[in-house]
PDB file of all heavy atoms in Angstrom:
ATOM      1  N   SER A1385      -0.554   1.303   5.219  1.00 95.00           N
ATOM      2  CA  SER A1385      -0.658  -0.140   5.063  1.00 95.00           C
ATOM      3  C   SER A1385      -1.675  -0.681   6.040  1.00 95.00           C
ATOM      4  O   SER A1385      -1.956  -0.063   7.059  1.00 95.00           O
ATOM      5  CB  SER A1385       0.698  -0.804   5.311  1.00 95.00           C
ATOM      6  OG  SER A1385       1.060  -0.712   6.678  1.00 95.00           O
ATOM      7  N   CYS A1386      -2.204  -1.830   5.701  1.00 95.00           N
ATOM      8  CA  CYS A1386      -3.048  -2.530   6.667  1.00 95.00           C
ATOM      9  C   CYS A1386      -2.937  -4.029   6.430  1.00 95.00           C
ATOM     10  O   CYS A1386      -2.611  -4.482   5.326  1.00 95.00           O
ATOM     11  CB  CYS A1386      -4.497  -2.052   6.623  1.00 95.00           C
ATOM     12  SG  CYS A1386      -5.467  -2.619   5.217  1.00 95.00           S
ATOM     13  N   LEU A1387      -3.201  -4.762   7.491  1.00 93.00           N
ATOM     14  CA  LEU A1387      -3.175  -6.222   7.469  1.00 93.00           C
ATOM     15  C   LEU A1387      -4.372  -6.728   8.235  1.00 93.00           C
ATOM     16  O   LEU A1387      -4.629  -6.283   9.365  1.00 93.00           O
ATOM     17  CB  LEU A1387      -1.917  -6.758   8.170  1.00 93.00           C
ATOM     18  CG  LEU A1387      -0.595  -6.790   7.408  1.00 93.00           C
ATOM     19  CD1 LEU A1387       0.556  -7.024   8.382  1.00 93.00           C
ATOM     20  CD2 LEU A1387      -0.619  -7.849   6.349  1.00 93.00           C
ATOM     21  N   SER A1388      -5.103  -7.653   7.643  1.00 92.00           N
ATOM     22  CA  SER A1388      -6.190  -8.276   8.399  1.00 92.00           C
ATOM     23  C   SER A1388      -5.595  -9.176   9.479  1.00 92.00           C
ATOM     24  O   SER A1388      -4.399  -9.450   9.493  1.00 92.00           O
ATOM     25  CB  SER A1388      -7.095  -9.062   7.461  1.00 92.00           C
ATOM     26  OG  SER A1388      -6.369 -10.111   6.840  1.00 92.00           O
ATOM     27  N   SER A1389      -6.457  -9.658  10.364  1.00 89.00           N
ATOM     28  CA  SER A1389      -5.979 -10.431  11.515  1.00 89.00           C
ATOM     29  C   SER A1389      -5.217 -11.682  11.104  1.00 89.00           C
ATOM     30  O   SER A1389      -4.273 -12.092  11.779  1.00 89.00           O
ATOM     31  CB  SER A1389      -7.148 -10.803  12.419  1.00 89.00           C
ATOM     32  OG  SER A1389      -8.105 -11.556  11.696  1.00 89.00           O
ATOM     33  N   ASN A1390      -5.591 -12.277   9.986  1.00 85.00           N
ATOM     34  CA  ASN A1390      -4.904 -13.486   9.511  1.00 85.00           C
ATOM     35  C   ASN A1390      -3.964 -13.192   8.348  1.00 85.00           C
ATOM     36  O   ASN A1390      -3.488 -14.108   7.699  1.00 85.00           O
ATOM     37  CB  ASN A1390      -5.925 -14.547   9.096  1.00 85.00           C
ATOM     38  CG  ASN A1390      -6.837 -14.066   7.987  1.00 85.00           C
ATOM     39  OD1 ASN A1390      -6.689 -12.947   7.492  1.00 85.00           O
ATOM     40  ND2 ASN A1390      -7.785 -14.893   7.584  1.00 85.00           N
ATOM     41  N   SER A1391      -3.725 -11.900   8.088  1.00 84.00           N
ATOM     42  CA  SER A1391      -2.839 -11.435   7.009  1.00 84.00           C
ATOM     43  C   SER A1391      -3.320 -11.840   5.626  1.00 84.00           C
ATOM     44  O   SER A1391      -2.573 -11.718   4.660  1.00 84.00           O
ATOM     45  CB  SER A1391      -1.407 -11.927   7.218  1.00 84.00           C
ATOM     46  OG  SER A1391      -0.869 -11.429   8.423  1.00 84.00           O
ATOM     47  N   ALA A1392      -4.560 -12.297   5.515  1.00 86.00           N
ATOM     48  CA  ALA A1392      -5.073 -12.681   4.203  1.00 86.00           C
ATOM     49  C   ALA A1392      -5.409 -11.464   3.353  1.00 86.00           C
ATOM     50  O   ALA A1392      -5.388 -11.520   2.126  1.00 86.00           O
ATOM     51  CB  ALA A1392      -6.307 -13.560   4.363  1.00 86.00           C
ATOM     52  N   TYR A1393      -5.746 -10.372   3.999  1.00 89.00           N
ATOM     53  CA  TYR A1393      -6.069  -9.131   3.285  1.00 89.00           C
ATOM     54  C   TYR A1393      -5.005  -8.107   3.635  1.00 89.00           C
ATOM     55  O   TYR A1393      -4.750  -7.830   4.808  1.00 89.00           O
ATOM     56  CB  TYR A1393      -7.437  -8.617   3.695  1.00 89.00           C
ATOM     57  CG  TYR A1393      -7.884  -7.429   2.899  1.00 89.00           C
ATOM     58  CD1 TYR A1393      -8.559  -7.595   1.695  1.00 89.00           C
ATOM     59  CD2 TYR A1393      -7.630  -6.129   3.337  1.00 89.00           C
ATOM     60  CE1 TYR A1393      -8.963  -6.493   0.948  1.00 89.00           C
ATOM     61  CE2 TYR A1393      -8.016  -5.041   2.597  1.00 89.00           C
ATOM     62  CZ  TYR A1393      -8.685  -5.219   1.404  1.00 89.00           C
ATOM     63  OH  TYR A1393      -9.070  -4.140   0.671  1.00 89.00           O
ATOM     64  N   THR A1394      -4.383  -7.552   2.613  1.00 90.00           N
ATOM     65  CA  THR A1394      -3.302  -6.606   2.838  1.00 90.00           C
ATOM     66  C   THR A1394      -3.436  -5.427   1.897  1.00 90.00           C
ATOM     67  O   THR A1394      -4.088  -5.509   0.844  1.00 90.00           O
ATOM     68  CB  THR A1394      -1.929  -7.257   2.614  1.00 90.00           C
ATOM     69  OG1 THR A1394      -1.797  -7.586   1.217  1.00 90.00           O
ATOM     70  CG2 THR A1394      -1.756  -8.520   3.430  1.00 90.00           C
ATOM     71  N   TYR A1395      -2.813  -4.328   2.289  1.00 93.00           N
ATOM     72  CA  TYR A1395      -2.813  -3.133   1.449  1.00 93.00           C
ATOM     73  C   TYR A1395      -1.549  -2.344   1.723  1.00 93.00           C
ATOM     74  O   TYR A1395      -1.105  -2.251   2.869  1.00 93.00           O
ATOM     75  CB  TYR A1395      -4.034  -2.263   1.748  1.00 93.00           C
ATOM     76  CG  TYR A1395      -3.970  -0.913   1.081  1.00 93.00           C
ATOM     77  CD1 TYR A1395      -4.377  -0.755  -0.243  1.00 93.00           C
ATOM     78  CD2 TYR A1395      -3.478   0.201   1.759  1.00 93.00           C
ATOM     79  CE1 TYR A1395      -4.288   0.489  -0.858  1.00 93.00           C
ATOM     80  CE2 TYR A1395      -3.387   1.434   1.146  1.00 93.00           C
ATOM     81  CZ  TYR A1395      -3.801   1.575  -0.162  1.00 93.00           C
ATOM     82  OH  TYR A1395      -3.709   2.793  -0.785  1.00 93.00           O
ATOM     83  N   LEU A1396      -0.991  -1.775   0.675  1.00 94.00           N
ATOM     84  CA  LEU A1396       0.157  -0.884   0.810  1.00 94.00           C
ATOM     85  C   LEU A1396      -0.058   0.296  -0.125  1.00 94.00           C
ATOM     86  O   LEU A1396      -0.331   0.109  -1.305  1.00 94.00           O
ATOM     87  CB  LEU A1396       1.442  -1.610   0.456  1.00 94.00           C
ATOM     88  CG  LEU A1396       2.755  -0.852   0.684  1.00 94.00           C
ATOM     89  CD1 LEU A1396       2.961  -0.559   2.166  1.00 94.00           C
ATOM     90  CD2 LEU A1396       3.935  -1.644   0.138  1.00 94.00           C
ATOM     91  N   ALA A1397       0.075   1.485   0.392  1.00 94.00           N
ATOM     92  CA  ALA A1397      -0.175   2.696  -0.385  1.00 94.00           C
ATOM     93  C   ALA A1397       0.830   2.848  -1.521  1.00 94.00           C
ATOM     94  O   ALA A1397       2.015   2.514  -1.371  1.00 94.00           O
ATOM     95  CB  ALA A1397      -0.117   3.922   0.521  1.00 94.00           C
TER      96      ALA A1397
END
Side-chain angles (χ1 to χ4, degrees):
S1385 69
C1386 75
L1387 279 166
S1388 62
S1389 59
N1390 60 2
S1391 299
Y1393 186 87
T1394 67
Y1395 170 84
L1396 186 64

